[in-house]
Amino acid sequence: MKTSMLFFVLQAVVVKTLAQTPIIPSADIQIKTAVLAAPADKRDGATVYGYSDKNQFIVLRKGTNELVCLADDPAQKGLSVSCYHRDLDTFMERGRVLKQAGKKPAEILATREQEVKAKKLTMPTHPSTLFSYTAKDENYDMATGEVKDGYLRYVVYIPYATAESTGLPLKPEAPGMPWIMDPGTHRAHIMINPPVSTTASH
């Protein structure tokens, strides 16, 4: 009886562990989907970060241009990839480390703000772009890397810019209108969210 009970307990643990272990797409699939966030002429030369078969965050491909792309997190539903200028890499890496440590968004913002002011963390002195590409779970085939009805939005970081220094509003007043978020901070940035098309596909 005890042996049978132990067997079922162990079986339940194995099933639970397998359910919690994300399926990691091949490096080729991760690269294929990560660069969907990049402009077409930048895709082949972009550096790509992604996940090893042991779910470790690694460099999947060393690039030759100024873009760095992040593959989709296999532990999250749907597709969410991004590409950004390499001068933002230190800033982005610090955010990943703080998130991994369990920090909440407000804590990450405050910590990086302090570190930038203390010159422990460097932000670009020039405008730097990030591209974000997302798709719903049902529109992303992890096995083939095929995506449909994806959505691309744009972010331009301008540290410490304000509504007054840029002439931008604090919120969009029309679909696709640029606006400024987190003004006056190290991560002040222009947001551009194009109108969602019901017929768009990628």
Side-chain angles (χ1 to χ4, degrees):
M1 182 68 178
K2 289 183 179 180
T3 302
S4 298
M5 183 63 71
L6 179 60
F7 171 78
F8 285 118
V9 170
L10 290 174
Q11 188 179 45
V13 170
V14 170
V15 170
K16 183 177 181 181
T17 301
L18 289 174
Q20 292 176 340
T21 303
I23 298 172
I24 311 295
S26 68
D28 287 345
I29 293 297
Q30 291 186 67
I31 293 170
K32 175 182 178 179
T33 53
V35 299
L36 290 176
D41 64 340
K42 302 286 187 181
R43 293 176 181 176
D44 289 344
T47 292
V48 180
Y49 287 108
Y51 300 84
S52 70
D53 55 4
K54 296 181 180 178
N55 202 25
Q56 297 170 322
F57 194 67
I58 61 172
V59 175
L60 294 178
R61 185 182 76 186
K62 184 68 177 174
T64 56
N65 65 24
E66 72 280 8
L67 277 194
V68 176
C69 297
L70 303 183
D72 180 62
D73 182 349
Q76 303 296 320
K77 284 189 173 183
L79 178 75
S80 180
V81 296
S82 60
C83 297
Y84 53 81
H85 192 280
R86 62 189 172 203
D87 289 352
L88 287 166
D89 204 27
T90 301
F91 165 72
M92 296 296 180
E93 171 64 20
R94 184 60 177 143
R96 290 193 290 269
V97 169
L98 291 170
K99 184 178 180 180
Q100 187 77 22
K103 301 295 184 182
K104 296 179 180 179
E107 295 176 302
I108 294 174
L109 174 63
T111 298
R112 288 194 294 194
E113 179 75 13
Q114 293 172 357
E115 291 177 350
V116 170
K117 288 182 176 178
K119 300 187 183 304
K120 293 180 180 179
L121 179 63
T122 303
M123 289 293 292
T125 56
H126 52 79
S128 305
T129 305
L130 175 144
F131 306 91
S132 175
Y133 184 77
T134 57
K136 294 180 180 179
D137 196 42
E138 61 268 25
N139 292 332
Y140 168 45
D141 187 334
M142 188 181 291
T144 64
E146 295 302 315
V147 185
K148 64 179 182 179
D149 296 337
Y151 179 73
L152 183 64
R153 63 184 177 87
Y154 317 91
V155 176
V156 181
Y157 285 90
I158 312 180
Y160 298 103
T162 63
E164 292 75 20
S165 70
T166 61
L168 291 168
L170 295 175
K171 60 181 180 179
E173 297 177 4
M177 180 180 184
W179 58 288
I180 190 165
M181 187 174 182
D182 296 325
T185 72
H186 72 285
R187 71 184 300 267
H189 55 280
I190 300 169
M191 293 286 298
I192 304 173
N193 298 322
V196 177
S197 173
T198 56
T199 59
S201 62
H202 201 114

